[in-house]
Amino acid sequence: QLYDALRRFSPSADARLLNSAAGEPGDTMLRSFRLLGAAWLLSASLDVRARADFADIDAEPRHNLEDMRIRQTPNGKAPKYQELLSAAKAIHDDFIVALRRQLHRRPELMYREETTSEVIQSTLESLGVPYKAGWAFNTRQDKGVPGPGGYGVVAELGTGHPPCVALRSDIDALPIRELTEVPFKSTVEGQMHACGHDGHTSMLLGAAAILKANEALLNGTVRLIFQPAEEGGAGAKRMREEGVLTRYPPAQHAFGFHLWPYLPSGVVGGKPGTMLSASDSFTIEISGVGGHAAMPHLTVDPVFAGAQIITSLQGIVSRETSPMSSAVVSVTMFQAGSAKNIIPKGAMLGGTIRSSTTPELNRVRDRVIQTVHGVAAAHGCNATLTFSPDNYPPTVNDPELYEWVKEIAAPASSVGQVQEIEQSMAGEDFAFFGEVIPSVFLALGQGSGQYPDTNYGLHNPRFAIDESVLDTGAALHAHLAFQTLNKLAAEA
């Protein structure tokens, strides 16, 4: 185990030293001591990220506002991106990464992010950033959405007056058992930050530190939104209903990022118009007549009916949707039975539907309902469908604002420009902000990290973050805030 761990951290050119130590004769204890000696000799060649992974993962995040203060800015001018990036790098290990790992070890599901909210609040207090907790209460518990909610946090910096720009991060995790082998892996069985929300939160807290250190340069108000329940709970909609965008001063633009393993690390991506899809989820309860598996003719088999429903649903996309349009119907759950010799009396299916537009999503939804009821009836079963109480609209980047952001964000991208990406069929409740104010959502590339492997897709149990890009996200948040406030002030 020691050899495997050290080998992952070691450059290939130095692997011979470890291989030699591991291959020498002797008992297990002696070989372990030789490996430890080899590790000391290799320590000088280990890269910064690898050394950081040996650090105390329970260390409290630390910061020094003086390290992030930008001292020479022309009157009325916003700091340059490179200056903000330097400020982010000054707090990379001890603050941004430390926070990310603290959050990663304690993932919490939607509307139950109590500890996560406490970490955010205590961090803002340590920075001297005023905030208000108690946002995003769950108003859908009666419709099967679990958790009380109320763990959202909203902070503000600047003048307290218009103009106002909103920066948003999601904070919840997923019901996935983590399979990564990092020393700060999830300590909560069956729960994991497999969509990068721990990284999103630490980037926005990093931006909070940078903005606080340079608050005197803000030409208006920056609203930081730490939003719960993105993973199916429509937390952004709850916060919008509670007035997060309309409270004084009202937010005029909103920005958000998503760590994106489908782009190389450091590349910033996006597209004008629809970037992410409209989405909904469904549950199908099939009722039949159970009995002995040896006498199926005396039963009404819900398993067979369920299998036929799954097959028939695929025709909605393959035979009813134009090849020039985009739609997805995915059945991801099939639960039935408890014994091999019993045909159960019921079965449950679950899944998701996606489309580029809300009208097309509604068409697919109607066809799912018709197909399920028709196929179930054809096999003598009854079927009951329930959909999410809040389907997500598509995430649409305001075209005019996006063209401006594309130029502003170019210095943050490792390729010197914001790379246009394909529309994704993933859903994102940042869309609820984009419905009411001009907004832009960007993808922050983090694929191709060396250790751990950061090419695994979102919602994968081996998903991992290339922590080197967290500086970019923190600096870009701050950069957009400074530039947008100046832009809005000039337009006023």
Side-chain angles (χ1 to χ4, degrees), residues 166-186:
L167 306 176
R168 172 267 197 181
S169 165
D170 39 18
I171 69 174
D172 56 324
L174 286 159
I176 295 175
R177 180 175 176 269
E178 182 167 5
L179 297 181
T180 65
E181 294 299 332
V182 293
F184 48 88
K185 69 186 297 183
S186 171

Side-chain angles (χ1 to χ4, degrees), residues 111 135-137 227-242 392 429 432-433:
Y111 289 124
W135 290 83
F137 281 97
Q227 176 225 304
E230 188 278 329
E231 299 289 356
K237 188 177 183 181
R238 300 288 86 80
M239 296 186 80
R240 191 184 79 180
E241 293 167 345
E242 294 165 352
Y392 288 11
D429 71 350
F432 289 109
F433 293 169

Side-chain angles (χ1 to χ4, degrees), residues 276-314:
L276 301 171
S277 76
S279 64
D280 203 346
S281 61
F282 60 82
T283 301
I284 305 168
E285 298 284 350
I286 306 170
S287 299
V289 177
H292 202 295
M295 299 174 234
H297 60 293
L298 301 179
T299 72
V300 178
D301 189 350
V303 176
F304 182 68
Q308 299 305 308
I309 287 172
I310 292 173
T311 301
S312 297
L313 287 176
Q314 303 313 304

